Amino acid sequence: MRKPIFDMRMLRYFVAVAEERHFGRAAERLNIAQPPLSQQIKRLENELGTVLLLRTTRRVELTTAGELLLARGKLLLSDAARLAEDVQKVGRGLEGSVRLGLTGSATYGLMPKIVRATAAALPELDLHVSGESLTPVLERQLLSGQIDVALLRPPVDSTNIKHTIIAYESLVAALPADSPLADRAELHLRDVTEGALVGYPANSSVSRVLDTEIRSAGQRPRYSNRVPETSTLISLVSAGLGMAIVPESAMALKLSGVLYRPIVDAPTVALATAWRSDETSDTVRRYVDFLRETIPTLLGEV
């Protein structure tokens, strides 16, 4: 059986008719005559071997197949338009597009600053940002091509990902406002770990660093809950389920009933830029360099 073939013009014609529910209005919108438009829609139906439109004297209705083609076709047209724009920008020597993923705590204090700094320094760059992910998730997204660059916390397990440490962050305690420790200006690690904790999953970079430190001091951390999202973690602190130990940048997440205190003997955690080791895009490489230069200054403002 021959596979159906139709071009983007035919798809654009169909979407116009499907949205207008009228051949005449669709022809005006497309700035073409109505007979050629009708012929193209009929050709499309023949190619696909199914009826897409039910025609009446006053109106056009969609079949079930037509509804599916309208929904998927609009996505295809949108993707094609973005692809054309990206190719034109690169062809003109502009910056192109970068998809950036961020670890959870950096989503709050750091991400808004990165977006503003990028817009100011690289106005032609299309930056697409996603946040609140753990390092293992960001690694998978890099390897699958869902993102181009990640801000994550080492260690990085995959040998197919390169990374460069650009900063170190202190760990701080997030505690309920009614905690007996609330009147202390600063805490020691033992003060926090002697009570119930809420924390990140055991495979997260922060937990791996922190749990190693706690166990080396002869303690056994007790977690009532482990969650991957920093926002959920701080919400659990607000609910009184325990204290949490989080990177300093998480202090940008202000929540009622939560206090932050420095931990004088807590370890630091690294923040790194990461990208695929086989990356060929000059745009991605330039953006990695930009983040290396910019983020240390931005962290000082968090």
Side-chain angles (χ1 to χ4, degrees):
M1 181 178 178
R2 185 175 65 88
K3 292 183 179 180
I5 301 173
F6 59 92
D7 58 27
M8 299 303 288
R9 182 182 65 170
M10 292 168 62
L11 184 57
R12 184 164 57 89
Y13 285 177
F14 168 77
V15 168
V17 174
E19 289 183 335
E20 296 291 344
R21 296 295 202 275
H22 193 278
F23 274 90
R25 289 194 298 270
E28 291 178 5
R29 168 174 156 182
L30 295 166
N31 197 27
I32 62 173
Q34 184 173 331
L37 175 60
S38 298
Q39 293 170 7
Q40 289 295 322
I41 298 301
K42 193 63 180 175
R43 179 185 168 194
L44 177 60
E45 289 180 319
N46 289 337
E47 287 283 355
L48 295 174
T50 187
V51 176
L52 301 171
L53 303 172
L54 300 175
R55 302 156 177 83
T56 67
T57 55
R58 294 185 177 183
R59 187 171 172 81
V60 173
E61 299 293 342
L62 296 177
T63 65
T64 302
E67 293 282 3
L68 174 62
L69 184 58
L70 174 60
R72 298 277 290 274
K74 289 169 68 175
L75 293 175
L76 283 173
L77 290 173
S78 177
D79 287 344
R82 285 197 298 269
L83 175 60
E85 290 173 0
D86 289 346
V87 170
Q88 288 172 346
K89 286 181 179 180
V90 173
R92 295 197 302 265
L94 302 179
E95 295 297 337
S97 176
V98 172
R99 296 162 299 172
L100 172 66
L102 291 93
T103 188
S105 56
T107 302
Y108 304 100
L110 190 54
M111 183 177 72
K113 295 178 181 294
I114 290 175
V115 172
R116 286 195 293 268
T118 300
L122 305 170
E124 295 297 334
L125 179 72
D126 290 330
L127 180 63
H128 304 275
V129 181
S130 59
E132 196 75 6
S133 295
L134 297 176
T135 290
V137 174
L138 291 169
E139 287 190 59
R140 290 196 296 270
Q141 291 176 339
L142 278 172
L143 294 173
S144 67
Q146 292 176 263
I147 58 175
D148 304 305
V149 183
L151 283 180
L152 48 70
R153 300 194 184 280
V156 175
D157 293 329
S158 174
T159 57
N160 295 317
I161 294 175
K162 291 184 178 180
H163 72 282
T164 300
I165 295 175
I166 51 177
Y168 287 89
E169 281 191 79
S170 300
L171 291 174
V172 300
L175 56 153
D178 59 357
S179 168
L181 302 175
D183 60 348
R184 302 265 295 272
E186 59 184 26
L187 303 173
H188 287 80
L189 196 56
R190 180 176 293 275
D191 298 327
V192 183
T193 57
E194 283 180 344
L197 291 171
V198 291
Y200 297 107
N203 68 335
S204 78
S205 297
V206 171
S207 286
R208 289 161 74 175
V209 170
L210 186 59
D211 289 356
T212 297
E213 184 77 12
I214 294 173
R215 292 179 188 279
S216 68
Q219 293 180 274
R220 186 181 182 86
R222 296 182 293 113
Y223 290 96
S224 61
N225 284 273
R226 287 184 182 267
V227 293
E229 303 88 4
T230 301
S231 56
T232 304
L233 188 61
I234 301 303
S235 295
L236 293 177
V237 175
S238 178
L241 294 185
M243 292 180 283
I245 300 175
V246 296
E248 189 175 8
S249 55
M251 293 173 62
L253 183 57
K254 307 296 184 184
L255 201 63
S256 176
V258 177
L259 302 175
Y260 294 97
R261 295 290 184 267
I263 304 174
V264 295
D265 56 345
T268 58
V269 289
L271 185 68
T273 52
W275 64 98
R276 288 179 293 275
S277 57
D278 61 353
E279 182 60 66
T280 59
S281 168
D282 289 338
T283 298
V284 171
R285 291 177 176 179
R286 289 199 301 270
Y287 194 62
V288 168
D289 291 338
F290 170 77
L291 292 177
R292 285 175 183 160
E293 297 169 359
T294 306
I295 286 179
T297 300
L298 297 179
L299 278 173
E301 301 172 358
V302 172

